[in-house]
């Protein structure tokens, strides 16, 4: 009571070149291999492969007080 209202709505996120960026940072030595693997693992948990090569996409929806990720 008296707080902020629950968010509602949806947004789509598309990321292109993330895997290439991580590979480049790893190749130059700016990002250790285990950190790159951890980042790709985290992205793989929340994003799905996009339509273009080396792209990821995700849909985030706020409905009924819940946050839904990539729901149908």
């Amino acid at each position: 009571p008296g707080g902020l209202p629950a968010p509602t709505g949806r947004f789509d996120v598309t990321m292109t070149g993330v895997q290439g960026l991580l590979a480049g940072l790893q190749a130059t030595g700016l990002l250790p291999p285990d950190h790159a693997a951890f980042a790709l693992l985290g992205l793989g948990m929340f994003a799905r492969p996009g339509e273009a090569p080396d792209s990821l996409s995700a849909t985030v929806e706020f409905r009924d007080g819940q946050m839904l990720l990539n729901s149908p």
Side-chain angles (χ1 to χ4, degrees), residues 17-41:
V18 174
Q19 295 167 335
L21 173 65
L22 290 174
L25 291 173
Q26 182 180 343
T28 60
L30 293 173
L31 188 67
D34 56 335
H35 291 183
F38 185 74
L40 287 173
L41 177 67

Side-chain angles (χ1 to χ4, degrees), residues 2 4-5 7 9 11 14 16 22 29-30 32 36 44 47 51 53 57 60-62 70:
L4 294 174
F11 62 92
T14 302
T16 305
L22 290 174
L30 293 173
E51 295 177 7
S57 64
V60 181
E61 184 175 1
F62 296 95
N70 299 324

